[in-house]
Amino acid sequence: MSAPEEPLVQAEGVVKHFPIKQGVIFKKEVARVHAVDGVDLSIRRGETLGVVGESGSGKSTLARCITGLHPVTAGRILFEGTDITRLSAAGLKAFRRDVQMIFQDPYGSLNPRRRVGSIIGDPFAIHGLADGADRKKRVQELMELVGLNPEHFNRFPAEFSGGQRQRIGVARALALRPKLIVCDEPVSALDVSIQAQVINLLKDLQNEFGLTYLFIAHDLSVVRYVSDRVAVMYLGKIGEGAAAEELYQRPRHPYSAALLSAASIADPDLAERAERVVLSGDVPSPIDPPSGCRFHPRCPKAQERCVAEDPPLVVREGDAADHRTACHFPVEPGESLAHNKAAIRQVSTEPDLPEVEQ
Ligand SMILES: Nc1ncnc2c1ncn2[C@@H]1O[C@H](COP(=O)(O)OP(=O)(O)OP(=O)(O)O)[C@@H](O)[C@H]1O
Ligand SMILES: [Mg+2]
């Protein structure tokens, strides 16, 4: 049995590559998307681990690996000490009771032709756990729990508002009392006023049922509000991970500092961090990620070493024991990045590789 201090989830060296194939009859792999490229993380029982990062950084792919929806290319994912990447079909079915997902799109993830009661009751049906009147009763209890009117059992998704539809998704995820819920941008599609209601519902349910969340979002202020710890992803890797407040007050990776500075334009809470670091350029292609530190072509602090050497994710001197940064030249307290742009030009770039035809 697992010891109480053991994390609920432990990912070790998780890699997920998607092959790009070409050819009419004999499909040949011509390239690979390096969606997740060596991720180590842990999620403790009862906590919320937030994951942030620009679009395409691999957040959803990592989430799908952790829920067992994607087979991994390499690495291990321990759930209560058991490696879920090697489970038999029966083991995987049992694991899927313990782990549920809530998706971004409350419109797309609900079948419009099915009644809400049967959608929420799906997990009972799949796992053969309750039927008939018993299932109806349990579904109605779930509807009540998430703030839906249980009388609306027979309605269709289109008869609910966006926020209510996300509550349907939450009810379905809760049905089997999972241990981990992976929330992939659960409020991004909702109006701001509705976002707060759904987030508070998720927090209340976490307290009531001791749930553990992996919470993915673009919005840094949402992540700060819900998370105990935060991991910042960039091009398939974690650049920095720390307790939420620590990361927001004292980001050490130049990428985290830049993300926070960009977010502070819209968020008065973050605006205390007066500095503006503007990230130049687009996120490079995950088909051919930059050498060394993947952030080096956009980093205001990059030097030759960053082009050659991939920095490990480690605790830097002076930082808390669970504050890890993958950077050769982390941001020092009080350091300004805004006028450090000249450094970028001194960095030699890799020769361009031939383009991959798709
Ligand atoms: N099934 C797939 N086949 C091929 N490439 C994929 C697949 N799923 C994701 N990718 C690629 O993997 C990379 C990471 O995608 P992912 O969806 O995990 O990013 P994300 O951080 O969740 O982005 P977003 O914030 O836009 O949701 C992207 O380049 C994406 O195009
Ligand atoms: Mg995503």
Side-chain angles (χ1 to χ4, degrees):
M1 278 309 292
S2 50
E5 66 276 10
E6 179 188 71
L8 182 64
V9 179
Q10 205 153 6
E12 296 171 357
V14 173
V15 174
K16 179 66 188 175
H17 291 171
F18 295 105
I20 296 173
K21 295 192 173 155
Q22 216 179 32
V24 183
I25 299 167
F26 300 106
K27 297 258 182 217
K28 193 168 135 249
E29 182 178 323
V30 290
R32 322 185 113 211
V33 179
H34 299 234
V36 174
D37 227 356
V39 163
D40 294 327
L41 62 77
S42 63
I43 313 174
R44 299 172 191 155
R45 284 169 201 275
E47 80 166 353
T48 298
L49 177 71
V51 177
V52 294
E54 281 164 291
S55 187
S57 54
K59 305 180 297 294
S60 297
T61 305
L62 176 64
R64 287 172 165 271
C65 291
I66 289 175
T67 51
L69 288 172
H70 274 330
V72 298
T73 307
R76 303 201 306 161
I77 297 167
L78 304 180
F79 185 84
E80 298 190 308
T82 303
D83 186 356
I84 61 122
T85 65
R86 275 152 233 274
L87 286 178
S88 61
L92 207 55
K93 192 169 180 197
F95 165 70
R96 292 220 165 105
R97 278 185 65 168
D98 286 338
V99 179
Q100 295 293 320
M101 270 191 100
I102 298 172
F103 297 96
Q104 168 175 2
D105 182 3
Y107 307 91
S109 59
L110 303 177
N111 183 336
R113 283 178 291 278
R114 295 184 60 215
R115 293 178 196 279
V116 160
S118 61
I119 294 176
I120 298 175
D122 270 345
F124 298 121
I126 292 166
H127 291 272
L129 287 173
D131 49 21
D134 183 27
R135 187 183 302 167
K136 181 172 177 186
K137 182 171 155 275
R138 288 168 76 170
V139 167
Q140 288 189 315
E141 281 166 6
L142 283 164
M143 291 180 76
E144 202 147 9
L145 193 62
V146 300
L148 292 169
N149 184 345
E151 311 266 292
H152 295 167
F153 180 89
N154 275 326
R155 294 196 177 179
F156 291 97
E159 297 173 72
F160 293 83
S161 68
Q164 286 172 330
R165 278 186 257 205
Q166 197 53 298
R167 288 173 195 267
I168 297 168
V170 174
R172 183 173 54 182
L174 268 183
L176 303 178
R177 295 284 185 271
K179 292 173 181 159
L180 174 70
I181 299 188
V182 174
C183 309
D184 191 353
E185 307 265 9
V187 296
S188 310
L190 304 176
D191 287 351
V192 176
S193 58
I194 310 294
Q195 287 188 357
Q197 293 172 14
V198 173
I199 286 170
N200 287 331
L201 170 68
L202 289 171
K203 279 195 145 192
D204 291 345
L205 294 170
Q206 179 169 45
N207 290 336
E208 192 168 342
F209 299 109
L211 296 166
T212 304
Y213 290 144
L214 176 64
F215 192 100
I216 296 168
H218 271 97
D219 186 328
L220 285 151
S221 43
V222 167
V223 170
R224 180 188 204 177
Y225 180 66
V226 301
S227 307
D228 299 291
R229 292 188 304 137
V230 175
V232 180
M233 276 191 88
Y234 187 77
L235 268 182
K237 284 181 176 286
I238 292 181
E240 184 167 9
E245 273 316 294
E246 164 100 357
L247 187 103
Y248 280 75
Q249 296 298 331
R250 240 166 65 95
R252 296 281 267 148
H253 198 294
Y255 178 61
S256 317
L259 269 189
L260 285 168
S261 112
S264 71
I265 296 166
D267 181 344
D269 260 6
L270 294 175
E272 322 146 7
R273 305 180 43 79
E275 191 182 66
R276 295 271 179 277
V277 190
V278 181
L279 277 181
S280 53
D282 293 328
V283 182
S285 163
I287 293 176
D288 177 25
S291 64
C293 171
R294 291 177 178 199
F295 186 54
H296 84 252
R298 299 171 80 197
C299 181
K301 294 194 73 171
Q303 299 185 26
E304 295 292 344
R305 185 176 174 199
C306 310
V307 182
E309 245 182 81
D310 188 11
L313 186 65
V314 291
V315 179
R316 308 298 306 212
E317 209 182 313
D319 287 345
D322 66 348
H323 188 168
R324 293 190 172 76
T325 312
C327 179
H328 295 304
F329 306 104
V331 181
E332 297 302 330
E335 181 186 346
S336 168
L337 286 184
H339 44 76
N340 211 354
K341 285 265 165 207
I344 296 176
R345 280 176 229 117
Q346 291 163 12
V347 175
S348 55
T349 46
E350 287 279 283
D352 282 345
L353 291 168
E355 288 227 335
V356 181
E357 286 173 41
Q358 301 212 24

